Amino acid sequence: MSTPGKPTAKAAARALAQRERILVAAQKCFVVHGFHAASMANIADTAGMSAGLIYRYFKGKNDIILAIIERQLEEARADIAKLHATSDLVAGIAEVFGQWQANDPNVTSAALFLELTAEATRDEEIAVATQASDNVFRSLLGDWFVRAVADGGLGVSQDQVATRVLILQCLIEGLAMRAISQPDLSVDQVKSALNQFLPSLLTA
């Protein structure tokens, strides 16, 4: 029996699915039109729902953008959790690169990442959220680098962590650009390039 005023599990699941539907539609619109040109009406049409229904979940476009940043961070958490289990960073990065090329709706697209970065230079609220998300991501990567190998980490000394995290972030963000500007670059080529130097970055 549900508590009065508290949504049932079924209603909560439906609300979560609706939010996800809106976010996926918004991501498509933002990539095609850009943040400023994309309207709530565009998002509603893409999601196949009324604009009024979208406003039940989000106050406006900025709220949607902030939710996408949070979604991006959750993706990063999941990716790092996989690394703890496998420690195969080359395969993990190459997989994400392939998803960027395929415009996989289950991951934040490379084009959307660039849109978010550009928007952070214009909107203080988005900038704060983006920087906070980046701080968390760097901290998660740092924890993985410094954690003992026996515990699923790399065992890198603490004084090396910040530098190696910076190099890794620059690499990943650079590959996001490659996915857009070099669409004929294959996942196998990316793996080959990563295997040339990434092991030295991951060596304690």
Side-chain angles (χ1 to χ4, degrees):
M1 187 175 181
S2 62
T3 305
K6 185 177 180 180
T8 64
K10 185 176 180 180
R14 176 174 172 75
L16 187 62
Q18 291 284 62
R19 279 178 58 89
E20 185 64 17
R21 183 176 167 189
I22 293 165
L23 292 179
V24 169
Q27 289 185 174
K28 291 178 181 176
C29 291
F30 292 151
V31 169
V32 172
H33 304 291
F35 287 135
H36 293 283
S39 66
M40 293 296 274
N42 293 145
I43 297 170
D45 286 344
T46 303
M49 61 177 65
S50 69
L53 182 56
I54 290 180
Y55 282 112
R56 288 180 56 184
Y57 298 95
F58 300 100
K59 291 184 292 185
K61 280 199 297 185
N62 260 36
D63 263 14
I64 293 175
I65 296 170
L66 293 174
I68 288 173
I69 292 171
E70 181 60 32
R71 186 177 189 258
Q72 186 180 42
L73 180 57
E74 290 308 308
E75 291 171 11
R77 289 182 193 275
D79 289 340
I80 292 174
K82 289 179 186 176
L83 291 175
H84 287 173
T86 67
S87 295
D88 192 347
L89 188 58
V90 169
I93 293 175
E95 180 183 357
V96 172
F97 180 80
Q99 289 174 310
W100 283 335
Q101 282 190 318
N103 291 315
D104 187 334
N106 295 311
V107 300
T108 301
S109 73
L112 182 60
F113 168 75
L114 296 178
E115 280 284 340
L116 285 169
T117 303
E119 187 63 14
T121 67
R122 298 184 287 260
D123 186 298
E124 184 177 356
E125 186 178 27
I126 302 302
V128 169
T130 300
Q131 290 161 14
S133 177
D134 183 71
N135 287 339
V136 173
F137 181 54
R138 280 189 284 111
S139 177
L140 291 170
L141 277 177
D143 288 344
W144 178 58
F145 269 103
V146 79
R147 185 173 299 181
V149 174
D151 296 327
L154 298 174
V156 172
S157 62
Q158 187 66 57
D159 64 328
Q160 286 289 313
V161 170
T163 298
R164 297 198 192 193
V165 167
L166 176 60
I167 293 170
L168 185 56
Q169 280 192 290
C170 289
L171 167 67
I172 294 171
E173 290 165 6
L175 282 174
M177 287 287 294
R178 289 294 95 202
I180 295 172
S181 60
Q182 195 175 349
D184 60 342
L185 183 63
S186 72
V187 171
D188 285 341
Q189 286 176 296
V190 169
K191 281 185 178 179
S192 177
L194 292 175
N195 276 318
Q196 292 285 326
F197 79 95
L198 202 55
S200 62
L201 183 67
L202 305 180
T203 302

